[in-house]
Amino acid sequence: MGAGIAQISITAGHETVGREVELPLAERARATIERYVGRSVEKGRMRAAERDDALARLTLTTELSALGDCDLVIEAIVEELVPKQELFAELDRITRRDAVVATNTSALSVTEIASATSCPERVVGMHFFNPAPLMPLVEIVRAELTADGPVETGYAFGERIGKTPIRCHDTPGFVVNRVLIPLLNDCVRVLDEARVTPEDLDTGLKNGAGWPMGPCTLVDLVGIDVHVHASEALYEKTREPRMAPPPRLVAMRNAGLLGRKSGRGFYRYDES
Ligand code: 3HC
């Protein structure tokens, strides 16, 4: 997600600092960005000079302090509350007081993340959808103490990078995941109940409900670990049975079948 967000930012003309924990991971993200941006040139959607300018706007670092001068920081680390709170406490110390600090969390509480900072007023949710460069939506999430300014900064940035932002409050799953996560869980339960194959379930939802990709393909794309974690977080908050991850998905996650990123989920994916 981080690479996708950085890609959108540089192609929209913003100087962007990408911070990873290890340089090889950052270089891998750069390679992915170069591949997709390069493809736009091959397809005639971008000129070579524009590609070069866009790529030159990306600086990679492992140092958190390199974010000290940014106007907007968008966090997209592991979906766990404690590491996010630790990071936000650190960002609180190193970022400018007028900077907006955003989290791309899928299902955690922005308010709880913001509580780790001394200035929760400048913390906002900016929730992008997978794959970030292609999906138009970004949810701009107002936490309990977020001030108006940071909400509007997040919204305006979303528009400037060519997305379609919507504003919402910090409730479990915000808008889309509140609906999509239980729906995908229902889809996985139907696999066993109706004894249908993943291929046929995908064909069903694509051809019978107009989905752009079937639910099994979508869960593979999102990441089975990410989906299970988001389901658990929503179940913990709402106690609605449909939010709980289906045992089949938990077993897949435990077996290391994480979807596209691990090479195998409901489907198999080759290295490329
Ligand atoms: N970055 C940049 N470009 C990319 C890309 C990426 N990550 N992935 C693919 N592309 C490019 C492709 O290379 C292709 O380029 P080309 O035209 O030069 O060949 C172009 O984008 C179009 O790719 P596709 O042919 O695969 O595009 P489709 O028309 O099939 O659409 C899709 C792909 C937009 C992903 C569509 O299938 C879709 O809308 N699927 C549903 C996705 C969805 O629901 N996402 C939300 C998940 S939930 C979520 O994210 C919440 C989170 O909290 C978990």
Side-chain angles (χ1 to χ4, degrees), residues 72-85:
L72 170 67
V73 177
I74 304 176
E75 164 277 316
I77 67 163
V78 62
E79 273 288 281
E80 300 283 347
L81 182 60
V82 171
K84 283 197 195 281
Q85 285 180 325

Side-chain angles (χ1 to χ4, degrees), residues 30-41:
R30 189 200 292 279
T32 305
I33 293 171
E34 281 176 356
R35 194 169 73 242
Y36 284 126
V37 178
R39 187 122 178 91
S40 296
V41 177

Side-chain angles (χ1 to χ4, degrees), residues 200-257:
D200 281 355
L201 180 64
D202 280 0
T203 301
L205 270 295
K206 271 170 32 187
N207 292 291
W211 287 29
M213 60 172 50
C216 298
T217 307
L218 182 55
V219 175
D220 272 0
L221 171 72
V222 165
I224 288 172
D225 53 338
V226 171
H227 179 82
V228 166
H229 191 277
S231 297
E232 282 166 346
L234 287 191
Y235 180 63
E236 196 184 302
K237 291 257 159 37
T238 64
R239 292 289 158 196
E240 287 181 32
R242 289 178 65 232
M243 298 292 182
R248 178 171 175 152
L249 276 187
V250 175
M252 289 173 79
R253 190 269 317 268
N254 293 345
L257 305 182

Side-chain angles (χ1 to χ4, degrees), residues 108-239:
L108 298 174
S109 157
V110 182
T111 304
E112 285 179 52
I113 295 170
S115 72
T117 72
S118 68
C119 189
E121 290 78 7
R122 65 188 179 109
V123 178
V124 67
M126 286 188 75
H127 182 214
F128 291 80
F129 290 77
N130 216 318
L134 301 188
M135 296 300 286
L137 187 68
V138 52
E139 292 172 330
I140 309 297
V141 184
R142 178 190 284 275
E144 217 45 45
L145 295 174
T146 313
D148 292 345
V151 172
E152 295 315 314
T153 299
Y155 190 94
F157 182 76
E159 282 187 318
R160 275 206 309 281
I161 59 175
K163 295 290 170 196
T164 305
I166 59 170
R167 299 177 188 84
C168 61
H169 277 259
D170 183 25
T171 51
F174 316 133
V175 177
V176 173
N177 277 349
R178 167 70 181 79
V179 176
L180 188 59
I181 285 179
L183 190 55
L184 288 172
N185 286 340
D186 280 348
C187 288
V188 174
R189 290 184 184 105
V190 164
L191 279 177
D192 298 320
E193 287 164 15
R195 281 174 269 173
V196 64
T197 62
E199 289 83 353
D200 281 355
L201 180 64
D202 280 0
T203 301
L205 270 295
K206 271 170 32 187
N207 292 291
W211 287 29
M213 60 172 50
C216 298
T217 307
L218 182 55
V219 175
D220 272 0
L221 171 72
V222 165
I224 288 172
D225 53 338
V226 171
H227 179 82
V228 166
H229 191 277
S231 297
E232 282 166 346
L234 287 191
Y235 180 63
E236 196 184 302
K237 291 257 159 37
T238 64
R239 292 289 158 196

